[in-house]
Amino acid sequence: MNDISDYIQGELIKTPFNLYNLIAKYIESNNNTKVAFVGGYLRDLLISKFHKKSFSKPVDIDLVIEGSSISLAKFIKKNIVNVDLCLIKEFNLYNTVEININDYKIDIASARKEIYSAPGLNPTVNKSTIAEDLKRRDFTINSIAFEVSTRKIYDLYGGISDIKSKRLNLLHSNSISDDPSRLIRCAKYASRLDFNISNNSLKQSQETVRQWPWKSSETHKKMIYPPALGIRIRMELAEICKHDNLTNVISIIHKWEIISILNENIKVDKRFLRGLNWIKKLKGNHMLYLLKDSEDLEKACQRFLVNNSEIKILEDYINIKKILNTNQKNFNHFSPSSWTEFIEDRNLNDETVKLLICDGGPYWRKLFKWLFIYKFIKSKKDGETLKKEGWDPGKEMGKEIKRLRYLEIDKLNRN
């Protein structure tokens, strides 16, 4: 283990802003308080060592301290040099601090123990040790810590062995029931790291999802819509959409037979996955795409705290899709201006149009052209010009501007 410790220390010394040495100085001046590096950065260092996989420079660094997180954060801010920006955000509920230094983010947590009263609810927390803190982690590969002062490696759950074997193991038998959003994270790691989920972890995942809706251990009432869970899943998906391959992650979730954590009505086939790729290209709302085919839209929206404007987008999507499917002969002969009138007279949100495009129906090209071409075309004559020609301001002038605009739009069809 000494060679691994030497390797980790050698890499951590390279962290930006002389962070490692600043932490060492803090420890010396605070009665050898225990501080450790944990989480994804440490995991990725070990993956690089064992599998020669390269990662980009760390943007997020996680620390855990057996003491005051805010005290360490203030020490770093006071002593750091040659930075443009250093901001501290405190989160008192969990005794955590976030430091933003230029483009880097450092999360410092006071070592804690977490207790979940029911699936998806926020935990209650108590102060604890680094070793105890690791018990609340999601996967063995994320439960490794490196203590700065002693150079001790905490690997209580075989995380290093799992990294060597490219295996995803949940930390304990309640990992998913404590926080079901870990299912999404697990698929993210499988996609990003090319790791495989262990049989026991897959079984736990499937069994937990099958128990939905979960019950509260305190009241024994059904907790059909734990709000914290919906928020966490949406945050996980947003991060995946930004930094990972969402299509691949959804395919993995489907393969593991746990897709109902998102929407049991999703039919994961080539058409669906193509649409998922398109929603990202169009910079659309991926959450709405995942929910659009829900049989019970109201419940689906409640689960994921979908707001009123998003609900309107989904409702319009469903209504327009029905209209398009029942009057196909009509729409086959629509001109570009007819499509423009159809969309704009209904005041459809761009997000609704994006969902219809991603469906890949017979009219997706027409909708696509409206979204990126037709909607931006204007009449060659505005109100001022028409007034000079003798038109009176009012409804009739508005109709004429619209007619002239439609003429310009239809010219594109002839060119």
Side-chain angles (χ1 to χ4, degrees), residues 252-380:
I252 290 169
I253 292 171
H254 172 66
K255 178 184 173 184
W256 290 348
E257 299 178 1
I258 56 172
I259 195 71
S260 60
I261 190 70
L262 297 174
N263 178 3
E264 62 185 1
N265 303 123
I266 290 176
K267 184 182 178 183
V268 181
D269 54 18
K270 286 183 179 179
R271 182 172 178 170
F272 174 84
L273 295 174
R274 183 178 64 233
L276 195 57
N277 276 326
W278 266 101
I279 203 72
K280 183 172 183 178
K281 289 177 182 177
L282 296 174
K283 297 181 180 178
N285 189 320
H286 59 273
M287 195 72 238
L288 300 189
Y289 182 81
L290 294 173
L291 298 181
K292 67 183 176 64
D293 296 317
S294 302
E295 286 184 10
D296 193 328
L297 187 61
E298 183 181 354
K299 286 184 179 178
C301 290
Q302 286 176 13
R303 279 182 66 183
F304 293 103
L305 285 81
V306 176
N307 63 44
N308 289 336
S309 62
E310 290 176 322
I311 291 172
K312 176 71 164 55
I313 289 165
L314 287 170
E315 289 174 342
D316 284 347
Y317 158 79
I318 292 167
N319 291 332
I320 297 301
K321 185 178 179 181
K322 195 178 294 183
I323 292 170
L324 293 176
N325 288 337
T326 53
N327 297 284
Q328 289 194 13
K329 285 184 180 179
N330 248 358
F331 295 108
N332 287 339
H333 304 290
F334 260 30
S335 65
S337 63
S338 297
W339 281 108
T340 301
E341 186 175 32
F342 175 79
I343 294 166
E344 294 178 3
D345 281 2
R346 287 167 175 79
N347 198 27
L348 296 183
N349 189 291
D350 284 4
E351 292 297 329
T352 299
V353 178
K354 289 176 185 179
L355 291 177
L356 292 164
I357 292 169
C358 294
D359 256 355
Y363 309 115
W364 74 265
R365 285 183 177 85
K366 306 294 186 182
L367 298 164
F368 184 89
K369 286 181 178 179
W370 175 84
L371 186 64
F372 290 101
I373 301 173
Y374 304 158
K375 67 179 281 192
F376 299 106
I377 293 175
K378 296 181 179 179
S379 164
K380 285 197 171 180

Side-chain angles (χ1 to χ4, degrees), residues 75-131:
F75 180 89
I76 291 171
K77 182 174 182 177
K78 182 180 179 181
N79 292 280
I80 201 166
V81 295
N82 299 324
V83 299
D84 298 323
L85 185 70
C86 184
L87 299 174
I88 293 177
K89 297 179 187 176
E90 293 183 56
F91 303 94
N92 295 325
L93 182 62
Y94 298 117
N95 295 317
T96 59
V97 180
E98 178 185 300
I99 312 178
N100 291 281
I101 308 173
N102 294 350
D103 295 327
Y104 289 82
K105 182 164 74 77
I106 302 167
D107 289 313
I108 308 175
S110 294
R112 67 183 189 261
K113 181 179 181 179
E114 294 182 342
I115 300 171
Y116 289 82
S117 61
L121 296 183
N122 288 325
T124 56
V125 301
N126 297 301
K127 289 183 180 180
S128 190
T129 63
I130 291 172

Side-chain angles (χ1 to χ4, degrees), residues 21-34:
N21 290 325
L22 280 177
I23 293 168
K25 287 180 182 177
Y26 175 85
I27 293 168
E28 288 175 12
S29 60
N30 285 270
N31 301 316
N32 292 317
T33 299
K34 292 183 178 180

